[in-house]
Amino acid sequence: MARPKDLDRKPALLLAIIDHLLDKPLSGLSFRTIAGALSVSTYTLVYHFGTRAELVREVMQAVSERQSYVVRTVDQESGLLDQHLENLRHSWRLSLDERSLQLQRLEFEAAMLESRESRADRLTLASFDRWNRSGVDALVKMGVPADDAELEVRIIVVTLYGLHYDLLVSRDVERTTAAFERVLQHYGRRIQDLIVVEQSTHG
């Protein structure tokens, strides 16, 4: 009879693996290197994660899940532009600490690795789509037409990804934050203009 899995062990192992990867490339992950770093057996890792591909996927999913708090906050907005902009500003502040930066690096690397795969359920693409859906819903709630909302959200999301890439490469928090504030300012003005036009058109 198979021994039941320790349900608490796997999440703890996954967290320890992510901590280990904070200063290492995702591409170099293997059961042997992780076993040595965590002082566990490769059998333990295989027992909980199955294959290397499944372990990498679990790591990628855990890394992308860090955005859930921000997405939930946007989902709970009441249709006020100022609230929406402040939530985006708060999400930027949360991304500035070293751990968040390294998790963002892992997500970028995971996206590059997944881009070579043909599977439809790519986790990094799902994370990107989740950001877009949440943002579109928030803008539509404010009164922005859906087509305009989809375009504006795609622009702001890819711009934020670009700013995070800039931050990882340059490590210049002051200048990237200034750029973020300028982007947010222009975004807020465009959304306000779209709301005004829609209200004037449809009363």
Side-chain angles (χ1 to χ4, degrees):
M1 180 175 173
R3 182 166 55 113
K5 291 187 178 182
D6 182 347
L7 298 181
D8 293 327
R9 185 78 190 281
K10 183 175 179 179
L13 281 171
L14 186 57
L15 181 60
I17 291 168
I18 292 172
D19 286 343
H20 172 71
L21 289 170
L22 289 178
D23 60 352
K24 297 173 182 64
L26 182 61
S27 58
L29 181 143
S30 70
F31 282 149
R32 181 180 297 177
T33 58
I34 293 298
L38 303 188
S39 299
V40 299
S41 68
T42 55
Y43 169 79
T44 297
L45 297 173
V46 172
Y47 178 70
H48 285 284
F49 298 102
T51 66
R52 177 188 179 278
E54 290 169 340
L55 172 58
V56 170
R57 189 167 176 82
E58 294 240 22
V59 168
M60 289 161 51
Q61 185 165 13
V63 168
S64 64
E65 276 300 310
R66 80 191 193 286
Q67 300 179 1
S68 294
Y69 165 77
V70 177
V71 172
R72 283 196 301 270
T73 302
V74 174
D75 287 341
Q76 294 168 4
E77 290 175 2
S78 57
L80 299 175
L81 178 56
D82 286 346
Q83 180 188 33
H84 178 66
L85 297 177
E86 185 52 38
N87 282 336
L88 293 180
R89 185 174 286 110
H90 181 59
S91 74
W92 175 261
R93 289 195 295 263
L94 290 176
S95 72
L96 298 179
D97 68 89
E98 184 60 26
R99 180 180 178 84
S100 294
L101 283 174
Q102 292 305 322
L103 291 175
Q104 182 67 72
R105 174 187 59 81
L106 288 172
E107 185 176 3
F108 281 146
E109 186 179 356
M112 296 303 100
L113 293 173
E114 277 198 317
S115 69
R116 300 184 300 178
E117 300 179 1
S118 58
R119 61 188 301 164
D121 59 337
R122 295 190 323 222
L123 292 173
T124 51
L125 180 60
S127 176
F128 181 77
D129 287 342
R130 180 172 55 176
W131 265 107
N132 278 279
R133 288 195 307 272
S134 179
V136 169
D137 289 344
L139 295 193
V140 169
K141 195 182 296 184
M142 294 178 213
V144 177
D147 288 345
D148 288 318
E150 289 178 7
L151 182 58
E152 291 296 336
V153 168
R154 180 167 289 270
I155 292 170
I156 191 67
V157 168
V158 298
T159 301
L160 292 179
Y161 272 104
L163 286 171
H164 281 116
Y165 181 82
D166 180 1
L167 187 57
L168 275 168
V169 173
S170 71
R171 294 299 177 132
D172 192 332
V173 174
E174 183 178 352
R175 296 186 74 174
T176 52
T177 297
F180 165 79
E181 289 293 343
R182 181 67 61 88
V183 165
L184 196 66
Q185 182 182 59
H186 287 300
Y187 172 71
R189 288 174 180 171
R190 290 198 307 273
I191 300 308
Q192 184 61 54
D193 288 345
L194 288 168
I195 293 171
V196 170
V197 169
E198 183 68 6
Q199 288 175 343
S200 63
T201 301
H202 296 92

